Amino acid sequence: MSVEAQAAKFVEARSAAIGFPDYPGPLPADLDQAYAVQLAEIGQWADRIAGWKVGRIAPPLVDALGEDRFVGPIFAATVLSAGAANDFAAIENGFSAFEAELVIVASADAPAGKTDWTADEAADLAGAMHIAVEVAGGPFAAANDLGPLTTIASFGGNNGLILGAEIADWRALSFDAIRCTTTIDGAVAGEAAASAIPGTPIAALAFALARTARMGRPIRKGDLISTGAITGVHVVRIGQRCTADFGAFGAIACTVVKAAPRG
């Protein structure tokens, strides 16, 4: 099955909000193959990219794959502003995970052709910072079980973003001081500081700047960079209630609902 045909299967299933159990075609063997499918999906999806999610690649695979993170597109129509109550859209029979994150807003276009970024350089492009929940997942039910390559090939494992309050004067704060507690149906599922993100969220931004540039889709001013799951990747099912509580910085409460087809 060609890359375009694989992408078309993901696009069709995501559009219909219907999950499927088996990967369409041969599993991607490396990052190049996985991102080829993702880029084909982006080309077939009728919406603009509003940002990128950053996910972790577990240490046992870092040496084999050559990178410790990955990215996936966040489409404009899937970005919601957090309210008192929020719908977390889960594709039925697909994979869904609740992830408490920090989002950094790019303050300028990334320079054309720059594919290597240090954390200090990335910090210069970091604008506002917000608390957020990544609506992680997609139509392929086994994406998370089979590892990062199939997640990358499944729209990067992103199905949306719920953008919460801005953290004022975040540069004056330690990432140790930005803490989150995630609860699912009232039980604590995870608790950590933003410093749990390896290298801090600024390192995740640096990775996103480099990887997207190599993909030919450099970050633009206003793009939302979701920097990684602070308290972990929490698998959820339709009907559950989940909250990412950042204490004095705000909280985002969600109910997991069945995703609707996209017109």
Side-chain angles (χ1 to χ4, degrees), residues 109-117 125 209 213 217-220:
D109 291 351
K114 181 173 174 57
T115 57
D116 292 302
W117 288 81
L125 257 73
L209 285 160
R217 290 185 169 271
I219 286 170
R220 300 303 183 200

Side-chain angles (χ1 to χ4, degrees), residues 29 45 53 102 107 120 152 166 181 208 233 240 254:
W45 194 256
K53 62 80 60 77
L102 293 180
S107 62
D120 287 342
I152 291 167
E166 182 178 347
T181 299
V233 177
Q240 289 189 304
C254 302

Side-chain angles (χ1 to χ4, degrees), residues 219-239:
I219 286 170
R220 300 303 183 200
K221 182 178 180 179
D223 280 355
L224 307 172
I225 311 304
S226 197
T227 56
I230 295 172
T231 66
V233 177
H234 307 291
V235 178
V236 293
R237 64 181 184 274
I238 294 168

Side-chain angles (χ1 to χ4, degrees), residues 17 32 37 65 72 82 119 131 154 171 188 203-204 210 217 260:
D32 287 344
V37 177
L65 296 178
I131 65 171
S154 181
R171 292 179 186 273
V188 174
R217 290 185 169 271

Side-chain angles (χ1 to χ4, degrees), residues 25-113:
L27 294 174
D30 55 28
L31 290 172
D32 287 344
Q33 291 182 17
Y35 279 115
V37 177
Q38 185 185 119
L39 284 167
E41 292 163 352
I42 292 170
Q44 294 178 28
W45 194 256
D47 193 9
R48 69 175 181 87
I49 292 174
W52 298 86
K53 62 80 60 77
V54 180
R56 288 284 312 283
I57 293 177
L61 292 175
V62 171
D63 289 341
L65 296 178
E67 294 185 2
D68 63 353
R69 289 174 162 97
F70 66 90
V71 299
I74 301 171
F75 293 104
T78 69
V79 178
L80 305 175
S81 295
N86 306 278
D87 286 346
F88 181 103
I91 294 177
E92 191 171 32
N93 297 321
F95 171 75
S96 295
F98 183 93
E99 299 183 10
E101 312 221 352
L102 293 180
V103 163
I104 296 173
V105 183
S107 62
D109 291 351

